[in-house]
Amino acid sequence: RTPLPQRHGNPDNAPVAASWSGFRLYCATGELTVSGLATALHALIRRDVRLVVRHSSDVAHPVMFFIIVVAVFPFGVGSDPALLSKIGPGIIWVGALLATLLSLDALFRSDFEDGTLEQMALSGHPLTVLVLGKVFVHWCVTGLPLLIATPLLGLFLGMETEAQLTLLAALALGTPTLSLIGSVGTALTIGIRRSGLLLTLLVLPLYVPVLIFGASVVLAADAGLPTAGHFYFLGAMMVLALALAPLATTAALKISLN
């Protein structure tokens, strides 16, 4: 086996070599078939999960940031229960959006620095599918914990049970879209050091429609208005992002690698 290439000699990436040997093996010798692609995708997801377990703080930071953002809002707007329950969905959505932004930079950064992205591009397997696998792991370690924490924060803001269920359904459709859109911005800025501000400027305008429809669906449910249109729009955005974002991310990664 050839040694793992190091771009910038980051010592934090040294343990990565042992954890992705299975993926590297399939990149080098795996058959370019559906079964070979499935095995490579499984090895990649398993490697990313191992890295998440080793660096559990990377999972805790977005969730803690999400909880802190939601918790400090009552100190600024007052403790009126009626007001908090009314603006609660918007507060939670803003917190989820900012927490997702906080975690985006780590989506491809370590893979870019230790050479994993280059081997993914040269593996012969569709890079689009491998990118989709990485985005799935990112949502599992970022979006899923936000969904788990949402009911507790909904109770903190005085939201009713029906409003909390509607908000959870909207977040289940919206947070994957946030991760998919964010992967495009991350791929575009992966070669730039300290690209957090640029990444925010690129991604935030694309997050606004998800934020608008995700927060307004709860308000519509509270007012007794139909919510099907909001959910259809959130679902359409997720399907559109699922179809186009991996392609755009793959093209951006290839540009960054070249």
Side-chain angles (χ1 to χ4, degrees):
R1 295 181 180 178
T2 58
L4 187 69
Q6 297 289 333
R7 280 185 174 271
H8 305 296
N10 189 347
D12 294 336
N13 294 327
V16 177
S19 67
W20 77 300
S21 58
F23 173 68
R24 181 175 58 179
L25 178 62
Y26 280 103
C27 283
T29 62
E31 297 180 358
L32 300 182
T33 61
V34 174
S35 60
L37 175 60
T39 306
L41 181 61
H42 177 264
L44 176 63
I45 294 176
R46 184 175 58 184
R47 165 192 173 266
D48 284 355
V49 170
R50 287 179 179 177
L51 289 178
V52 169
V53 173
R54 291 181 181 182
H55 303 86
S56 56
S57 61
D58 293 340
V59 182
H61 287 167
V63 180
M64 292 303 299
F65 180 80
F66 173 59
I67 295 175
I68 291 172
V69 167
V70 176
V72 299
F73 259 91
F75 295 100
V77 300
S79 58
D80 183 13
L83 176 62
L84 290 178
S85 63
K86 183 176 181 180
I87 66 175
I91 295 174
I92 291 177
W93 262 104
V94 170
L97 187 150
L98 295 177
T100 303
L101 278 175
L102 182 66
S103 63
L104 283 179
D105 189 61
L107 182 57
F108 298 116
R109 178 67 60 186
S110 62
D111 295 336
F112 179 76
E113 292 177 349
D114 63 25
T116 303
L117 281 179
E118 292 181 353
Q119 298 219 16
M120 288 171 58
L122 297 174
S123 65
H125 298 296
L127 186 57
T128 304
V129 179
L130 301 180
V131 164
L132 194 59
K134 291 189 68 64
V135 175
F136 171 73
V137 174
H138 175 267
W139 178 81
C140 288
V141 301
T142 303
L144 192 58
L146 299 184
L147 289 177
I148 296 174
T150 295
L152 178 62
L153 296 175
L155 290 175
F156 174 74
L157 295 174
M159 295 176 57
E160 298 180 356
T161 303
E162 184 179 354
Q164 291 186 40
L165 294 176
T166 304
L167 178 60
L168 279 174
L171 286 172
L173 291 174
T175 49
T177 308
L178 298 181
S179 294
L180 287 165
I181 295 175
S183 67
V184 181
T186 305
L188 288 171
T189 59
I190 191 67
I192 305 174
R193 287 184 175 273
R194 299 180 180 179
S195 58
L197 179 59
L198 179 59
L199 176 60
T200 302
L201 293 175
L202 289 174
V203 171
L204 193 57
L206 301 176
Y207 279 178
V208 172
V210 183
L211 176 64
I212 292 174
F213 283 90
S216 62
V217 66
V218 184
L219 299 178
D222 287 340
L225 299 176
T227 59
H230 297 79
F231 283 117
Y232 288 155
F233 198 91
L234 288 172
M237 286 191 291
M238 186 181 70
V239 171
L240 188 64
L242 188 64
L244 299 181
L247 299 175
T249 303
T250 300
L253 286 176
K254 291 181 178 179
I255 293 173
S256 299
L257 291 174
N258 291 333

